[in-house]
Amino acid sequence: MTTAPPAGAPPRAALLAPAPTSSPAPVAEPAPPVRRAPLIGAGVIGVALAGHVFAEHGAKPGVLLLLGIALGFALFHSRFGFTSAWRQLVAVGNGTGLRAHTLLLGTTATLFALIIGTGSGLFGSVPAPSAGPIGVGLLVGAFLFAIGMQLGGACASGTLFAVGSGQSTIVLTLFGFITGSTLAAWQFGLWNDLPAFDPFLLSDHVGWFGSWAVTIVALAAIWFVARAVQARRNPPPIGAAPSARGALARTVRGSWPLVAGAVVLAVLGAGVLLVSGGAWGITSAFSLWGSKVVGALGGSPEAWTYWQQPGSAAQLSGPVLADKNSLTDIGIMVGAAVAAAAGGVWKLHRGIPARTALAAVLGGVLMGIGARLAGGCNIGAYLAGIASGSLHGWIWGGVAILGTWAGLRLRPLFGLGNPKPTDSVC
């Protein structure tokens, strides 16, 4: 049983000791055999897509697709989540996931400061920070998004890697996500003029080194607070995913430590910035996909105010496989499919209860609307915003914690459970 450090232990030892849980962390089960058919299918799709993109659109889009595939591989193998991390923290006080967030955010902030601060870019791109206005849309959007995460069962990045791994319920979440994003684009005029202050970037006031230093100090404080909360509440441990034995086998077929996932994701996210000039994002692609479907069905999305913003018309009229976020989104699903099949856990789930299906669609719609209102999701606003030294990223994260609290109270209405202190794992 993992407990708080014994009385009289030196403060330093107590601080560096493993965060306490009510019972020892479970041992990972051996990984099942490789799912050969899904692995071959995902591999063929990935190779064919990459070949097409490189041939038709050039090296820059091709590299973005490959980065997306790598992101999906890392997301699945590390099971790096935002929805579950906030649920575990709010429900039972397990801050393991949130502490992993601080490592991801801090590493990304370090790489962003180096890239943007020095103006380094590939393929002629000029890297720019992610900053958003601070106002009603941000507050309402982040709150709705967090509720949607808990009902839909996944965040933006989690939705994509779960779909890639064959989770049928999350396909419904993705459908709702695209629907909500498209509805928000269609009704852009209703929410675009909500009261807001201009974006606030730390680098504009204290330079990139100062911005990085403030960000790291703030993240360190969150790490210590999350650990203190866990020490006080002594929650159940997090469950262990099936894993292969041995370093090489675990890399390809096993579950990665959250620390490894955080570092790899930060490096890949920095790669997206280097290649494209913009931070890794997800949800704007959903508005594009939904709007293209509307156009294919005879609608006129080009007349929407959303697509009349500077640069948006070209995005709508251009091919999906030349769009930055679409490339990484599609890549994440392919990469997750490869990882899940290699790990032997790719599986289509059948027999989804009606209330669960309704929660998935509703949660996706709320996330789609919330992301557009807030100017981003857990990746485009929270991760990219904080890593860029933007105040809106911090506000998004704080409001998302409140939205998580509300979402946990709605989950039982749809037959969805929440972690409890008496559970063996959370």
Side-chain angles (χ1 to χ4, degrees), residues 234-255:
N234 204 36
I238 294 176
S243 182
R245 300 292 183 262
L248 179 59
R250 188 176 184 185
T251 300
V252 178
R253 300 195 60 240
S255 60

Side-chain angles (χ1 to χ4, degrees), residues 37-55 61-70 72-73 164 321 327-339 341:
L39 179 60
I40 293 171
V44 169
I45 291 172
V47 171
L49 271 175
H52 173 78
V53 171
F54 273 100
V63 172
L64 285 171
L65 176 64
L66 294 180
L67 284 169
I69 292 173
F73 194 86
L321 290 178
L327 287 165
T328 52
D329 285 1
I330 294 169
I332 288 170
M333 290 187 281
V334 174
V338 170

Side-chain angles (χ1 to χ4, degrees), residues 83 87 91 146-154 167 169-170 172-173 351-364 366-367 404-420 423:
T83 304
R87 180 162 62 240
I147 293 175
M149 282 195 301
Q150 298 306 326
L151 296 182
Q167 296 187 36
T169 302
I170 307 301
L172 298 176
T173 303
I352 304 170
R355 285 197 297 173
T356 302
L358 176 60
V361 175
L362 177 59
L366 289 175
M367 285 193 286
T404 296
W405 179 87
L408 293 183
R409 277 142 187 80
L410 293 175
R411 281 172 59 88
L413 299 178
F414 298 91
L416 303 173
N418 292 320
K420 299 179 179 61
D423 290 343

